């Protein structure tokens, strides 16, 4: 199960992109996920067919992917500020958006404005 602690660990572990997109375990997507996800590679982009074309997560440039992680029930595609979770049993997908905490200076400004 993917918990908040696991998500935080993913962001810390995959903080930077690999040196090359060839270092990503793209084969994991084809081996572990059902065909309903419609995973494909077009040019330099990973296409996720189970996500609508209108979504920015439908087509992910390979150069923006920081890591591909295998879990018991899903495969995660880590990006700089988000993680796309692809279910292994169905075509369900979910996206976690990372929000940066306000800096000390920002919090001080907010407290002075109140």
């Amino acid at each position: 199960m993917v918990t908040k602690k696991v998500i935080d660990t993913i962001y810390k572990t995959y903080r930077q992109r690999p040196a090359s997109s060839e270092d990503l375990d793209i084969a994991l997507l084809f081996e572990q996920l059902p065909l309903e996800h419609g995973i494909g590679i077009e040019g330099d982009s990973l296409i996720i067919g189970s996500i609508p074309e209108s979504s920015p997560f439908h087509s992910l440039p390979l150069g923006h992917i920081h890591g591909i992680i295998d879990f018991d029930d899903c495969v995660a595609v880590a990006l700089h500020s988000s993680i796309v979770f692809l279910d292994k049993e169905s075509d369900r997908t979910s996206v976690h958006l990372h929000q940066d905490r306000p800096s000390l200076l920002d919090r001080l400004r907010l407290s002075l404005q109140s």
Side-chain angles (χ1 to χ4, degrees):
M1 186 164 119
V2 181
T3 62
K4 180 174 175 12
K5 186 175 180 179
V6 171
I7 289 172
D8 290 341
T9 303
I10 291 172
Y11 283 120
K12 287 178 186 174
T13 305
Y14 296 95
R15 187 170 286 164
Q16 296 182 358
R17 293 184 293 226
S20 168
S21 59
E22 294 172 0
D23 296 336
L24 296 170
D25 192 6
I26 295 175
L28 182 66
L29 296 170
F30 293 99
E31 295 168 359
Q32 296 290 324
L33 296 175
L35 293 175
E36 290 86 7
H37 278 295
I39 301 295
I41 303 289
E42 287 184 13
D44 289 338
S45 294
L46 172 68
I47 305 299
I48 305 173
S50 58
I51 297 178
E53 288 185 33
S54 58
S55 171
F57 296 100
H58 173 75
S59 175
L60 304 173
L62 293 174
H64 292 187
I65 298 174
H66 289 218
I68 300 172
I69 307 104
D70 186 22
F71 291 101
D72 292 337
D73 56 347
C74 67
V75 174
V77 179
L79 305 164
H80 177 264
S81 316
S82 56
I83 304 170
V84 179
F85 294 98
L86 304 166
D87 191 78
K88 287 184 179 180
E89 301 297 323
S90 68
D91 65 347
R92 280 187 336 144
T93 60
S94 61
V95 177
H96 180 272
L97 299 175
H98 185 260
Q99 295 181 343
D100 290 327
R101 292 179 17 196
S103 68
L104 178 62
L105 185 59
D106 291 337
R107 288 182 285 174
L108 183 61
R109 283 184 190 147
L110 285 173
S111 67
L112 291 176
Q113 290 176 354
S114 299

